């Protein structure tokens, strides 16, 4: 685990956010520790920095948002991570969830389609001292085959259906969590691969920006 900028003036706010997540039912101690140890204020624009530790989504530019911490915590909890996984994230955005993941797994590859967001995320991850993580630019609805297979995949944007390349890049025993947009209403799904079998479970509702790509939505329609 990378050294964290301890002693920054946001420590109290972070603890309060962790407490809120606990009250909302997040039980996975590793996830709570990751939130408690990750400087979210480094991943949001200066104009909204004072709101960095509120449990809300915030604008990060290019029409995108950093998701609500409780949503991210629920996604990460649903992956039941043990610390040994190789993980793929689709939709780096600000890089905050990438930073959380880096504290929960062995290695993270994160794919972002907007180059300026990927560059800002890389910068923020470096400032936060996050290691064992690479941010690449591309259409994440295709996954990222050079580093496949993955034990865990988290998708931070909602497509119309489960992208088949992502299922194909799941390792045996691997878990994927993703939001789907079904005619405007969003659902969260968990996909688990066990040998040749792929199990899909519906987990709840969500609100995410669209997944734009070959196995996502057409950019012209969004
Ligand atoms: N988890 C992020 C929030 C991401 S918002 C955070 O913590 O900040 C969703 C992101 O998915 C946006 O940055 C958007 O540009 C990106 N995205 C949308 N479609 C994509 C695709 N096909 N491949 C990669 N990234 C995509």
């Amino acid at each position: 685990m990378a050294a964290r900028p301890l002693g920054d003036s946001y420590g109290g706010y972070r603890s309060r956010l962790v407490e809120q997540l606990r009250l909302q039912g997040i039980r996975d101690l590793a996830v709570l520790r990751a939130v408690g140890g990750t400087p979210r204020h480094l991943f949001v624009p200066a104009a909204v920095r004072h709101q960095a530790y509120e449990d809300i989504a915030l604008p990060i530019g290019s029409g995108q948002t950093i998701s609500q911490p409780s949503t991210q915590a629920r996604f990460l909890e649903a992956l039941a991570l043990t610390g040994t996984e190789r993980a793929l994230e689709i939709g780096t955005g600000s890089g905050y969830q990438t930073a959380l993941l880096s504290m929960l797994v062995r290695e993270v590859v994160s794919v972002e389609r907007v180059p300026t967001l990927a560059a800002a995320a890389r910068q923020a991850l470096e400032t936060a001292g996050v290691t064992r993580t690479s941010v690449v630019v591309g259409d994440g609805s295709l996954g990222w085959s050079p580093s496949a297979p993955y034990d865990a995949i988290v998708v931070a944007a909602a497509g119309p259906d489960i992208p088949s390349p992502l299922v194909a890049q799941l390792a045996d025993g691997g878990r994927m969590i993703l939001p789907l947009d079904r005619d405007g209403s969003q659902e969260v799904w968990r996909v688990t691969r066990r040998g040749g079998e792929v199990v899909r479970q519906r987990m709840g509702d969500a609100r995410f920006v669209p997944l734009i790509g070959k196995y996502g939505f057409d950019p012209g329609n969004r």
Side-chain angles (χ1 to χ4, degrees):
M1 197 187 305
R4 297 283 143 193
L6 295 175
D8 67 64
S9 55
Y10 292 89
Y13 297 108
R14 251 190 319 273
S15 309
R16 209 170 57 192
L17 175 59
V18 170
E19 204 40 46
Q20 273 183 36
L21 299 182
R22 205 195 299 277
L23 288 172
Q24 287 183 47
I26 303 298
R27 292 278 168 269
D28 187 325
L29 289 179
V31 171
L32 293 169
R33 260 200 306 271
V35 174
T38 303
R40 192 172 187 249
H41 63 279
L42 297 180
F43 294 89
V44 301
V48 292
R49 195 152 287 155
H50 61 288
Q51 293 177 293
Y53 294 100
E54 290 176 29
D55 187 22
I56 53 175
L58 292 167
I60 55 171
S62 304
Q64 305 302 326
T65 55
I66 176 172
S67 313
Q68 204 177 348
S70 53
T71 304
Q72 295 182 321
R74 254 193 290 279
F75 266 46
L76 294 171
E77 185 168 62
L79 289 171
L81 300 166
T82 63
T84 59
E85 291 86 358
R86 296 181 63 248
L88 174 69
E89 176 185 49
I90 308 303
T92 316
S94 67
Y96 174 67
Q97 181 157 269
T98 323
L100 294 179
L101 256 179
S102 78
M103 293 182 76
L104 296 166
V105 302
R106 183 158 55 92
E107 191 188 335
V108 186
V109 177
S110 184
V111 188
E112 171 58 53
R113 69 180 279 273
V114 180
T116 50
L117 288 177
R122 276 191 205 110
Q123 183 62 57
L125 288 163
E126 193 185 326
T127 306
V130 173
T131 56
R132 290 174 290 103
T133 298
S134 47
V135 174
V136 295
V137 174
D139 175 5
S141 77
L142 300 168
W144 188 256
S145 54
S147 308
Y150 303 96
D151 307 298
I153 300 180
V154 51
V155 185
D161 226 322
I162 300 172
S164 52
L166 296 182
V167 178
Q169 289 173 27
L170 265 185
D172 191 9
R175 291 86 67 197
M176 166 161 69
I177 185 111
L178 78 170
L180 294 180
D181 190 324
R182 297 269 161 87
D183 300 320
S185 92
Q186 293 191 4
E187 305 169 350
V188 178
W189 286 78
R190 181 167 56 193
V191 178
T192 310
R193 175 191 281 277
R194 288 192 204 97
E197 202 194 352
V198 175
V199 181
R200 299 170 174 80
Q201 294 164 276
R202 178 150 180 211
M203 309 283 293
D205 302 327
R207 219 164 136 222
F208 281 84
V209 298
L211 180 76
I212 309 281
K214 179 150 190 236
Y215 291 85
F217 289 106
D218 186 337
N221 294 336
R222 293 274 144 178

